[in-house]
Amino acid sequence: MTEQTYCDRLVQDTPFLTGLGRLSEQQVDRIILQLNRYYPQILSNKDAEKFRNPKVSLRVRLCDLLGHLQRSGERDCQEFYRALYIHAQPLHSCLPSRHALRKTCGFPDLPWPGRRPGAPHLLLPSRPQGAARGPACPGLLPCHH
């Protein structure tokens, strides 16, 4: 089995991240500002303004941001995950790609935060490779290495 890249993980996690109520406006703003301030080569001032435009819905801006990062490459996707961990750690620990990594690495199937003992796990629909394309984020494609 080949190791999953950050870019591949972003494709897998996009439907989860863009789900209603997953990330707040403030969390997305903090992630964008971190990428812009510390890594202006990842997000220019112009990009940051575009992705923070309150006239556009949060979901559309987040989809656009994730697509931009994926097209930018592996390092940019990795920095997104670092910013996500800093600004939304509970959500970061629930990402589908982290769940898949635990299984691939032989870790037990850990419960999601806040899950009652004995309660069923939240099951995410399985998607074919690159299935982040669609209504959630049109145009998001798997990275080519």
Side-chain angles (χ1 to χ4, degrees), residues 61-140:
R61 288 184 281 139
L62 184 56
C63 284
D64 289 347
L65 171 65
L66 298 177
H68 170 85
L69 293 171
Q70 186 197 22
R71 287 185 300 275
S72 298
E74 184 67 10
R75 184 183 56 89
D76 296 3
C77 292
Q78 182 178 8
E79 293 306 331
F80 168 77
Y81 279 101
R82 181 172 287 138
L84 182 67
Y85 179 81
I86 291 168
H87 300 291
Q89 189 172 2
L91 183 67
H92 183 274
S93 66
C94 293
L95 291 170
S97 65
R98 289 185 53 81
H99 184 72
L101 284 173
R102 282 193 296 267
K103 283 186 173 183
T104 318
C105 298
F107 290 104
D109 189 15
L110 301 174
W112 292 56
R115 182 178 159 268
R116 292 184 326 275
H121 284 283
L122 172 64
L123 296 176
L124 297 172
S126 61
R127 295 178 180 265
Q129 178 67 22
R133 174 187 281 182
C137 289
L140 195 60

Side-chain angles (χ1 to χ4, degrees), residues 15-86:
F16 179 81
L17 290 168
T18 58
L20 189 61
R22 296 272 192 217
L23 283 167
S24 70
E25 183 99 24
Q26 293 79 18
Q27 288 171 314
V28 173
D29 277 352
R30 286 191 294 252
I31 290 168
I32 290 168
L33 289 173
Q34 178 176 336
L35 293 173
N36 173 243
R37 288 181 183 153
Y38 294 107
Y39 306 101
Q41 66 277 20
I42 293 175
L43 277 187
S44 67
N45 289 337
K46 183 179 177 183
D47 290 331
E49 286 176 21
K50 179 176 88 172
F51 298 132
R52 295 183 70 219
N53 181 355
K55 294 178 183 176
V56 179
S57 78
L58 178 60
R59 184 180 179 135
V60 168
R61 288 184 281 139
L62 184 56
C63 284
D64 289 347
L65 171 65
L66 298 177
H68 170 85
L69 293 171
Q70 186 197 22
R71 287 185 300 275
S72 298
E74 184 67 10
R75 184 183 56 89
D76 296 3
C77 292
Q78 182 178 8
E79 293 306 331
F80 168 77
Y81 279 101
R82 181 172 287 138
L84 182 67
Y85 179 81
I86 291 168

